[in-house]
């Protein structure tokens, strides 16, 4: 079976509903009215400025219907909107830069302690990557016991639990920083990632003449008691899409400096978390 937009979209939609909708808080009426009004005003402005036709309106309507049918609301929103929400939510931070979560996080990945290997298949394709680092508070002290949740795509660009035929927790793990905040993670280097092209988001990309690529990336969530949760992605130097990520989620502070060691690559990268 091959991965289809509708199948990974349906999984991402279910994931969102069970993780994020459960603890959503109500938004006050005044705030809903203000934001909805302003977004609608912006749409009306675009229609007037560009004299949008009925054909174009109906094409939009059909496309919006297909976003839901393909389960691609999580993908659409995380690719084209989340980066600005993240920017606003974290602008006060003094510690590590973060970036968007994207649609493919799953909580509860297997625990590996402070040093270990991410679950992977026998002969998992890809260059071995050994990543060492420390988790500290922005003031300097180490944060022993900090959690580092890691998830990333395989060498074909597929995420476990969102593409068929991949073991449940493949390339997903939770590490716990040691006494000095240190950790050592063994994994493989992920491949550049192309968002599904056979669904509604792919249709928009093709119709607009854009490309569907994100640079290769490792996703992390780093957490410690009394500190703000850090959601980030780490990138590799020289990737063709670091400068034109479809999801606009690359920041210079998030680009790694790996060293080749003949067998694979090693890299050092740590995290400073902001106290709450
Ligand atoms: C991804 O892997 C991703 O990280 C984002 C942000 C959007 C789509 C796929
Ligand atoms: Fe991703």
């Amino acid at each position: 079976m091959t991965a289809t937009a509708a199948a990974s979209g349906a999984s991402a939609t279910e994931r969102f509903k069970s993780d994020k909708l459960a603890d959503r808080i109500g938004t006050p009426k005044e705030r809903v009215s203000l934001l909805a009004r302003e977004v609608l005003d912006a749409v009306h402005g675009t229609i007037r400025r560009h004299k949008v036709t009925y054909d174009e309106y109906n094409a939009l309507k059909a496309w919006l219907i297909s976003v839901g049918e393909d389960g691609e609301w999580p993908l659409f929103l995380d690719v084209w909107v989340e980066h600005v929400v993240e920017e606003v939510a974290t602008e006060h931070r003094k510690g590590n830069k973060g970036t968007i979560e994207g649609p493919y996080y799953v909580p509860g990945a297997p625990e590996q302690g402070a040093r270990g290997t991410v679950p992977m298949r026998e002969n998992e394709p890809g260059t071995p990557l050994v990543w060492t680092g420390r988790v500290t508070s922005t003031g300097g002290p180490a944060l022993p016991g900090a959690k580092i949740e890691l998830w990333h795509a395989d060498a074909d660009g597929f995420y476990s639990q969102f593409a068929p035929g991949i073991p449940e927790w493949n390339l997903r793990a939770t590490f716990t920083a040691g006494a000095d905040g240190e950790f050592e993670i063994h994994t493989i280097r992920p491949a550049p990632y192309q968002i599904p092209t056979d669904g509604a988001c792919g249709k928009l990309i093709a119709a607009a003449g854009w490309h569907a690529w994100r640079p290769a990336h490792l996703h992390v969530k780093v957490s410690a008691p009394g500190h703000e949760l850090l959601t980030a992605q780490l990138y590799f130097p020289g990737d063709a899409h670091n400068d034109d990520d479809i999801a606009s989620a690359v920041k210079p502070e998030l680009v790694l400096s790996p060293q080749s060691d003949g067998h694979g690559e090693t890299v050092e990268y740590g995290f400073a978390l902001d106290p709450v």
Side-chain angles (χ1 to χ4, degrees), residues 75 78-79 100-104 159 193 195 214 217 219 233 247:
L75 183 66
D78 295 352
V79 166
I100 64 173
E101 174 176 325
Y104 302 141
Y159 285 87
Y193 177 89
I195 72 162
R214 299 213 58 221
H217 56 280
H219 289 269
Q233 298 181 33

Side-chain angles (χ1 to χ4, degrees), residues 20-252:
K20 298 266 168 28
L21 227 47
D23 54 21
R24 180 193 51 171
I25 55 158
T27 303
K29 187 169 65 191
E30 295 71 22
R31 179 91 174 154
V32 173
S33 178
L34 171 76
L35 300 181
R37 185 75 269 152
E38 218 171 283
V39 169
L40 290 168
D41 285 348
V43 171
H44 303 161
T46 299
I47 295 168
R48 290 197 180 101
R49 214 161 34 250
H50 300 287
K51 302 200 182 300
V52 169
T53 66
Y54 258 103
D55 275 353
E56 289 167 334
Y57 172 67
N58 285 328
L60 170 67
K61 199 162 165 180
W63 181 78
L64 286 170
I65 291 167
S66 73
V67 176
E69 286 170 348
D70 293 345
E72 286 200 336
W73 281 114
L75 183 66
F76 171 76
L77 289 166
D78 295 352
V79 166
W80 283 295
V81 181
E82 189 188 356
H83 69 98
V84 188
V85 180
E86 192 276 339
E87 173 192 312
V88 169
T90 62
E91 62 192 0
H92 62 282
R93 285 192 185 168
K94 297 187 165 55
N96 211 96
K97 286 283 182 208
T99 191
I100 64 173
E101 174 176 325
Y104 302 141
Y105 168 65
V106 183
E111 295 269 354
Q112 310 293 328
R115 298 188 154 71
T117 301
V118 171
M120 61 177 85
R121 293 162 285 194
E122 235 179 288
N123 305 318
E124 182 76 39
T127 308
L129 178 70
V130 179
W131 166 21
T132 52
R134 285 180 74 223
V135 186
T136 62
S137 187
T138 46
L143 292 174
K147 296 285 181 195
I148 302 117
E149 294 173 89
L150 170 69
W151 74 102
H152 65 84
D154 65 16
D156 294 323
F158 293 121
Y159 285 87
S160 58
Q161 303 189 37
F162 298 90
I166 303 175
E168 188 176 20
W169 295 104
N170 209 56
L171 304 176
R172 297 177 182 273
T174 305
F175 294 86
T176 304
D180 199 30
E182 81 284 359
F183 60 86
E184 181 180 309
I185 295 173
H186 295 243
T187 188
I188 54 115
R189 185 172 167 156
Y193 177 89
Q194 192 177 24
I195 72 162
T197 53
D198 61 324
C201 292
K203 263 190 264 168
L204 170 61
I205 288 167
W210 301 339
H211 73 75
W213 291 94
R214 299 213 58 221
H217 56 280
L218 301 166
H219 289 269
V220 285
K221 281 185 181 283
V222 187
S223 56
H227 290 76
E228 291 188 30
L229 168 68
L230 172 68
T231 301
Q233 298 181 33
L234 300 171
Y235 303 94
F236 296 86
D239 192 298
H241 295 290
N242 281 346
D243 295 325
D244 69 348
D245 178 9
I246 184 75
S248 311
V250 180
K251 300 178 187 182

